[in-house]
Amino acid sequence: MFTFDAIARIEPYLIDSNIDESDWKYWEKPEVYLEIPDKKNVPIVLKQLGKYVKTYNEFNASKSLLDEYRLISFEEASNNTADIWNKYTNGKWNPPFMLMPCAIALLILLIACFNYTNTSIALAGTRIKEISLRKVMGSQRKHIIVQFLMEHFLISLLAVLLSQVFSEFITPIYIGLYSDPEYGIWDFSSYDYIVPFLGFILIFTTLISGAYPAFYISKLKTADALRKNLKLKGGNGFTYALLTLQMIITVVGIGMGIVFTENISYIDKVDKGYAMENVISIPMDGTNGQKDYDLFKSKIIQNPAILQIAGSSQHISWWSWIEKTKCKDVEYEAIMLPTGENYLQTMGVKLKQGRFFENDKYDDTNRVIINEKYMKTAGLTDPLNESVTFYGRPFKIIGVVGDFMQRGVRNKVKPMVITFERKNGLMVVQTSAENIREVNKFLESKWIEAFDKPYDGYPQLKMLDNDKWIYKLMKTIFLYVSGISLLLSLVGLYVLISLIINKKTKEIGIRKIMGAPIKSIIYILGKNFIYIFGTALLVGSLAGLLITQYILDKVFEIENHVDVTATPFNPKISIGFHVLPTEIGRIEE
């Protein structure tokens, strides 16, 4: 739940970080935890804190003003992780994201049950005599139903037990797709609900897969069952519907896997708006940032492979906040990006109008640079003669830069206001793309010489890993799922074709005697499956489009991605046609 490395009383923190506790302007605020044994005292504490809101705002008039102090319980922090900024608590994942694997698992379970149903009907043809003899000996229909359900129950029980064995090996791998597996997280014995859950799965599987065969076979009349060469009805509407649903799920799964794979390639190719591949980012210590920056810069500046060095208090792809700004008396929300000396130039941001910030111009702390998105949103035709108002005062616009992706590739560019500060909590080093690895090793060696702490520098290109992570995760999940569903669907297809051929053996023989060509026989046997494949292709493509769009836009809130079309879903269903010749080859005999 927590992401901090250590927890301590507030007094040692203030001393160790050399912080004046009476300084209301200190920007790096720790997350403070209060123990209030009696919940009834929470309103009293909040009332006491309320009197400091005015004091904070007086000392921080140039920043975002404070409305109130809030006390957030651990439970509330866990349930609202995405809505709380500057926190050290992790909570629940996005609910749709948690439900999605459950829905996928349910679909695979249904496919397996449908296959089991069709297979049971096909195999029941070998047990017709057994059923008829039991009826002659006095067995009632309910006895036969119970027998078939018990057989399904025992097979399902064996499957559940085996799944527990396999889960000991598979679960850590699956968890590893999301994060580093923690000790004991896959130990199901620690979950109280695991036994009731497995019991529910056992009963659910037994009823879904066994009910239809049990009732279907038990209704056979004794005289019909004893009749020689009785063939069970094959290829009825129910079995066709089951197979169609399986193929739809397969089309959806494979198509979604391809879409997420294409998004990984899209991330590499899309223009980020700055020189991501040429920059190394080095975070500095929060309390000694400027001092560490100056010292480290003096140690590395002579390296000829280093083209530029810059500092900043914030950084592209780091956390950024949104402020309400006003331009020409109209209010606009904009991302705020405080930067330092030579930062935009070093990051390779393109200047479109005006100039960059200059360190020797003292008044640049009262100036701003906007991006093209802000200029277009505000409808500015001559931005260099306009100003932007925020924090209660106006800031003159001195430049316009090209749009760049501040919040990663997954998010679209938003209006941005860039400010200038003379403090550096971060260093960025520009080099050539060919020298990025060697320069990073050089920086690490110099860092170890200068400081007694780990080197946290990284190539800026590494920030793409955060954007690719979701796509790689979903690609892996859906391709595995589609592979399993495809295998199960092909098995179901094989069983259904076998059932139909067993039913039409005499008809096929007569047609061959009468000189019917193989092509016409294949058409007669396969025409229904052509309709199944066509329906699966149409419905699966449409469902895949809607589901993929929902996952990208709503579950992960990804604004910037490849256009989702029906193309990835179309050609995959054709694999089903290869099953027909395999089984129909039996006709030659």
Side-chain angles (χ1 to χ4, degrees):
M1 179 179 180
F2 300 100
T3 58
F4 50 66
D5 297 319
I7 188 170
R9 291 185 59 84
I10 190 68
E11 295 85 359
Y13 173 82
L14 296 174
I15 296 172
D16 182 65
S17 302
N18 194 26
I19 298 173
D20 181 4
E21 60 181 312
S22 62
D23 182 10
W24 286 91
K25 291 186 177 181
Y26 179 67
W27 64 275
E28 189 178 8
K29 307 173 186 65
E31 185 167 292
V32 181
Y33 300 95
L34 303 178
E35 182 181 3
I36 306 177
D38 190 350
K39 290 184 179 180
K40 296 179 181 178
N41 293 328
V42 171
I44 299 175
V45 175
L46 281 173
K47 186 176 181 180
Q48 294 174 339
L49 291 173
K51 64 183 181 181
Y52 297 109
V53 172
K54 182 178 179 181
T55 306
Y56 174 85
N57 289 337
E58 289 175 353
F59 281 90
N60 295 275
S62 62
K63 299 181 180 179
S64 181
L65 300 181
L66 191 67
D67 294 325
E68 63 178 354
Y69 284 105
R70 288 187 60 194
L71 295 178
I72 301 175
S73 66
F74 287 153
E75 181 179 5
E76 184 181 355
S78 173
N79 292 331
N80 299 281
T81 302
D83 300 324
I84 303 174
W85 291 359
N86 285 348
K87 61 188 179 301
Y88 291 94
T89 53
N90 283 334
K92 298 177 180 179
W93 286 54
N94 194 340
F97 184 81
M98 293 189 293
L99 292 174
M100 188 167 54
C102 299
I104 292 172
L106 179 61
L107 289 176
I108 293 179
L109 181 61
L110 288 176
I111 290 177
C113 289
F114 297 159
N115 270 347
Y116 196 9
T117 298
N118 284 340
T119 304
S120 298
I121 295 173
L123 294 177
T126 62
R127 304 180 62 181
I128 293 176
K129 293 295 188 292
E130 172 195 342
I131 297 168
S132 61
L133 289 175
R134 289 196 59 186
K135 285 196 170 187
V136 169
M137 298 299 293
S139 293
Q140 299 180 12
R141 185 184 181 191
K142 63 181 180 181
H143 298 146
I144 298 174
I145 291 175
V146 170
Q147 176 188 343
F148 272 84
L149 288 177
M150 284 302 300
E151 290 175 359
H152 282 258
F153 176 83
L154 293 175
I155 294 176
S156 300
L157 177 61
L158 177 62
V160 168
L161 295 177
L162 288 175
S163 71
Q164 285 300 99
V165 176
F166 293 147
S167 65
E168 294 292 327
F169 303 98
I170 296 175
T171 306
I173 299 174
Y174 176 74
I175 294 174
L177 295 174
Y178 296 83
S179 60
D180 295 330
E182 297 180 6
Y183 177 79
I185 198 169
W186 54 82
D187 181 9
F188 292 113
S189 62
S190 61
Y191 299 103
D192 297 334
Y193 57 79
I194 193 65
V195 174
F197 171 74
L198 292 178
F200 169 78
I201 291 295
L202 178 59
I203 296 173
F204 176 82
T205 306
T206 301
L207 293 177
I208 294 296
S209 63
Y212 180 75
F215 283 93
Y216 176 71
I217 296 170
S218 64
K219 73 177 182 179
L220 290 175
K221 296 179 180 179
T222 305
D224 292 336
L226 289 173
R227 182 160 46 89
K228 188 177 181 180
N229 296 326
L230 172 67
K231 300 289 185 182
L232 290 178
K233 183 180 179 182
N236 57 30
F238 181 72
T239 54
Y240 282 138
L242 296 184
L243 180 60
T244 303
L245 181 58
Q246 294 176 38
M247 300 305 294
I248 289 173
I249 296 172
T250 302
V251 173
V252 171
I254 295 178
M256 293 179 72
I258 293 174
V259 170
F260 285 108
T261 303
E262 290 176 349
N263 270 291
I264 296 174
S265 176
Y266 172 79
I267 287 177
D268 291 326
K269 295 177 182 178
V270 69
D271 181 18
K272 287 80 177 177
Y274 68 101
M276 171 177 272
E277 65 279 0
N278 297 342
V279 175
I280 298 172
S281 307
I282 311 166
M284 298 291 163
D285 184 87
T287 55
N288 300 307
Q290 187 62 51
K291 180 180 177 181
D292 291 351
Y293 175 87
D294 294 335
L295 174 61
F296 193 56
K297 182 178 180 180
S298 67
K299 289 184 174 294
I300 65 173
I301 197 169
Q302 301 301 325
N303 190 323
I306 295 177
L307 305 179
Q308 294 190 78
I309 300 174
S312 183
S313 60
Q314 267 295 334
H315 189 34
I316 296 175
S317 76
W318 278 12
W319 174 84
S320 56
W321 70 97
I322 294 177
E323 287 286 354
K324 291 182 178 179
T325 66
K326 189 174 287 188
C327 185
K328 298 174 69 172
D329 296 326
V330 180
E331 193 172 87
Y332 305 98
E333 288 190 342
I335 295 176
M336 306 302 294
L337 180 63
T339 62
E341 176 187 1
N342 201 42
Y343 176 79
L344 294 175
Q345 299 94 309
T346 303
M347 293 300 293
V349 176
K350 301 176 182 67
L351 183 67
K352 300 296 184 179
Q353 296 185 44
R355 64 175 177 87
F356 286 119
F357 296 118
E358 297 177 17
N359 198 46
D360 57 353
K361 292 184 186 260
Y362 180 79
D363 206 34
D364 270 7
T365 53
N366 297 316
R367 305 284 189 262
V368 296
I369 295 173
I370 61 174
N371 66 347
E372 288 183 302
K373 183 69 173 180
Y374 191 100
M375 181 181 69
K376 294 174 182 177
T377 302
L380 304 180
T381 56
D382 189 12
L384 300 184
N385 289 320
E386 301 288 349
S387 62
V388 177
T389 301
F390 54 94
Y391 300 154
R393 62 191 182 96
F395 293 78
K396 180 174 174 54
I397 300 173
I398 62 169
V400 178
V401 296
D403 293 332
F404 56 88
M405 296 183 175
Q406 159 64 9
R407 293 188 169 183
V409 180
R410 289 183 291 142
N411 299 293
K412 290 184 178 178
V413 173
K414 292 179 172 58
M416 178 182 293
V417 174
I418 304 170
T419 60
F420 181 65
E421 295 183 352
R422 288 183 171 85
K423 59 182 180 181
N424 301 308
L426 166 89
M427 175 181 288
V428 290
V429 175
Q430 186 188 95
T431 182
S432 63
E434 296 77 21
N435 293 330
I436 197 82
R437 182 171 297 182
E438 289 72 17
V439 170
N440 194 40
K441 289 181 179 178
F442 166 77
L443 295 175
E444 183 176 9
S445 64
K446 289 299 181 180
W447 181 275
I448 294 173
E449 290 179 11
F451 308 110
D452 184 22
K453 50 188 174 184
Y455 173 73
D456 293 328
Y458 57 90
Q460 185 71 9
L461 202 60
K462 187 178 179 182
M463 299 308 297
L464 286 182
D465 294 344
N466 295 329
D467 294 308
K468 290 181 179 179
W469 174 79
I470 288 180
Y471 294 132
K472 288 180 178 178
L473 170 65
M474 299 312 299
K475 178 197 76 171
T476 303
I477 290 177
F478 281 109
L479 287 182
Y480 273 112
V481 166
S482 59
I484 294 172
S485 13
L486 177 61
L487 177 62
L488 293 173
S489 297
L490 294 180
V491 171
L493 179 60
Y494 185 88
V495 170
L496 188 54
I497 293 175
S498 299
L499 196 60
I500 293 175
I501 290 178
N502 286 336
K503 173 190 174 185
K504 295 189 174 184
T505 300
K506 284 187 176 181
E507 177 187 344
I508 294 170
I510 293 172
R511 287 181 177 274
K512 289 199 69 177
I513 292 173
M514 299 299 293
I518 294 296
K519 289 183 180 180
S520 66
I521 297 176
I522 292 176
Y523 174 75
I524 292 171
L525 295 175
K527 63 180 180 180
N528 289 332
F529 296 103
I530 295 175
Y531 299 142
I532 289 176
F533 297 150
T535 302
L537 182 60
L538 179 62
V539 178
S541 297
L542 179 60
L545 286 172
L546 297 176
I547 295 172
T548 305
Q549 198 71 50
Y550 176 80
I551 291 175
L552 291 172
D553 295 342
K554 302 299 182 183
V555 178
F556 295 118
E557 298 180 350
I558 296 173
E559 301 171 331
N560 205 28
H561 52 73
V562 296
D563 293 332
V564 182
T565 65
T567 303
F569 302 89
N570 287 338
K572 306 306 161 191
I573 197 66
S574 61
I575 192 170
F577 288 101
H578 297 292
V579 179
L580 288 173
T582 302
E583 179 59 27
I584 293 175
R586 291 170 47 192
I587 299 171
E588 297 291 342
E589 303 176 3

